């Protein structure tokens, strides 16, 4: 089974300038994703899809390949991640390279480790799932959510008001770190039928604002100082 890791790293960021290559605990943040992919030893190819020469230079120095730059379309605000992945698969196929497994790996995911990637790959191999992604359990049950109606708080689901938290079904959400997909002969892949890699909340952080960045660095230092390395 041949496999490719695709780090999707478009240049520019409106909320956090140069987010994909900003210093995170001493290194450009994209290096963490590249390093995890290389150290996992499950990929035949670790590449970065970008439209930025600066990102490409940092990626190559970190050990990834940048065999081509993104097209104008996949560099636009209208392109989806799926568009980017399709472009990468098509460009490799044009050079007679096809892969059975693809991993979409985000460049701002320092909590991704080689171990997590190996775990995701192994789950894909031993199950009937078409896809695998890391998820984290909501820290508070969404079934007991409150909403504002006419200026007053109400339970969104009143039937759960008297239920104990431990009696409610655990609900999870996407960590926004990586996604494994089986790639079919026609280069298609399914974005449903996912199997999970369950991750602790201490190793998950969306990074959309400056405060998120600070929290992420705190969590990362805690993770590296503990047993999850």
């Amino acid at each position: 089974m041949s496999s490719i890791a695709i780090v999707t790293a478009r240049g520019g960021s409106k909320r956090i300038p140069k987010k994909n290559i900003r210093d995170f605990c001493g290194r450009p943040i994209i290096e963490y994703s590249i390093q995890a992919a290389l150290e996992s030893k499950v990929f035949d190819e670790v590449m970065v899809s970008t439209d930025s020469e600066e990102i490409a230079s940092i990626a190559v120095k970190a050990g990834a390949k940048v065999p081509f730059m993104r097209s104008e379309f996949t560099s636009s605000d209208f392109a989806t991640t799926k568009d980017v992945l399709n472009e990468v698969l098509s460009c490799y196929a044009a050079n007679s390279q096809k892969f059975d497994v693809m991993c979409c790996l985000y460049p701002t995911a320092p909590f991704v480790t080689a171990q997590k990637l190996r775990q995701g790959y192994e789950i894909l191999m031993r199950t009937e799932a078409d896809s695998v992604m890391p998820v984290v359990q909501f820290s508070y049950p969404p079934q007991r959510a409150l909403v504002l109606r006419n200026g007053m708080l109400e339970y969104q689901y009143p039937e759960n008001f008297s239920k104990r938290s431990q009696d409610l079904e655990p609900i999870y959400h996407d960590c926004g770190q990586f996604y494994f997909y089986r790639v079919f002969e026609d280069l298609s892949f399914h974005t449903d039928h996912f199997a999970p890699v369950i991750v602790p909340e201490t190793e998950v952080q969306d990074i959309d604002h400056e405060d998120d960045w600070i929290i992420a660095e705190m969590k990362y230092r805690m993770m590296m100082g503990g047993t999850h390395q």
Side-chain angles (χ1 to χ4, degrees):
M1 300 288 282
S2 58
S3 58
I4 183 172
I6 302 170
V7 183
T8 57
R10 192 175 71 155
S13 174
K14 296 180 176 64
R15 289 177 292 193
I16 300 178
K18 294 189 175 183
K19 175 181 176 181
N20 291 332
I21 52 174
R22 178 169 166 172
D23 182 274
F24 184 92
C25 291
R27 288 191 291 158
I29 194 167
I30 193 174
E31 286 190 7
Y32 294 88
S33 297
I34 294 170
Q35 180 182 3
L38 292 170
E39 291 182 355
S40 72
K41 304 295 185 184
V42 301
F43 301 109
D44 299 290
E45 188 95 346
V46 176
M47 69 86 67
V48 172
S49 169
T50 186
D51 59 336
S52 164
E53 294 289 351
E54 185 176 15
I55 291 176
S57 177
I58 291 172
V60 170
K61 287 179 182 178
K65 295 182 180 179
V66 185
F68 49 83
M69 303 298 286
R70 282 196 194 184
S71 65
E72 184 177 350
F73 170 68
T74 55
S75 302
S76 72
D77 292 333
F78 304 102
T80 65
T81 298
K82 189 171 184 180
D83 291 329
V84 173
L85 299 178
N86 281 330
E87 178 179 71
V88 170
L89 292 177
S90 295
C91 286
Y92 273 97
N95 287 317
S96 302
Q97 283 183 277
K98 287 190 176 182
F99 300 94
D100 303 299
V101 174
M102 168 179 64
C103 179
C104 172
L105 181 54
Y106 286 158
T108 54
F111 299 101
V112 174
T113 62
Q115 179 183 354
K116 290 188 181 100
L117 291 173
R118 284 194 295 268
Q119 184 181 0
Y121 181 81
E122 289 164 3
I123 290 172
L124 189 70
M125 292 299 98
R126 72 169 186 259
T127 68
E128 296 182 358
D130 292 322
S131 319
V132 174
M133 71 173 163
V135 296
V136 61
Q137 185 175 337
F138 278 96
S139 58
Y140 186 84
Q143 299 97 320
R144 298 187 67 182
L146 296 165
V147 293
L148 271 174
R149 289 175 180 156
N150 299 318
M152 301 298 290
L153 287 170
E154 295 181 12
Y155 279 97
Q156 188 174 19
Y157 309 104
E159 65 273 18
N160 295 320
F161 169 73
S162 59
K163 292 181 181 178
R164 300 183 305 167
S165 296
Q166 59 265 42
D167 294 331
L168 297 171
E169 180 182 16
I171 297 180
Y172 300 84
H173 65 85
D174 178 7
C175 291
Q177 296 179 354
F178 64 87
Y179 310 87
F180 273 97
Y181 301 102
R182 296 185 192 275
V183 181
F184 300 99
E185 184 62 29
D186 61 355
L187 304 185
S188 66
F189 56 95
H190 296 165
T191 55
D192 53 12
H193 199 203
F194 278 94
V197 174
I198 299 176
V199 178
E201 191 173 359
T202 52
E203 298 178 18
V204 176
Q205 181 63 45
D206 283 338
I207 306 178
D208 295 321
H209 304 282
E210 291 292 341
D211 287 348
D212 298 333
W213 198 279
I214 294 169
I215 294 169
E217 287 190 314
M218 291 171 59
K219 285 186 174 182
Y220 180 79
R221 291 189 179 101
M222 181 173 65
M223 180 181 83
M224 297 310 294
T227 57
H228 301 285
Q229 296 187 33

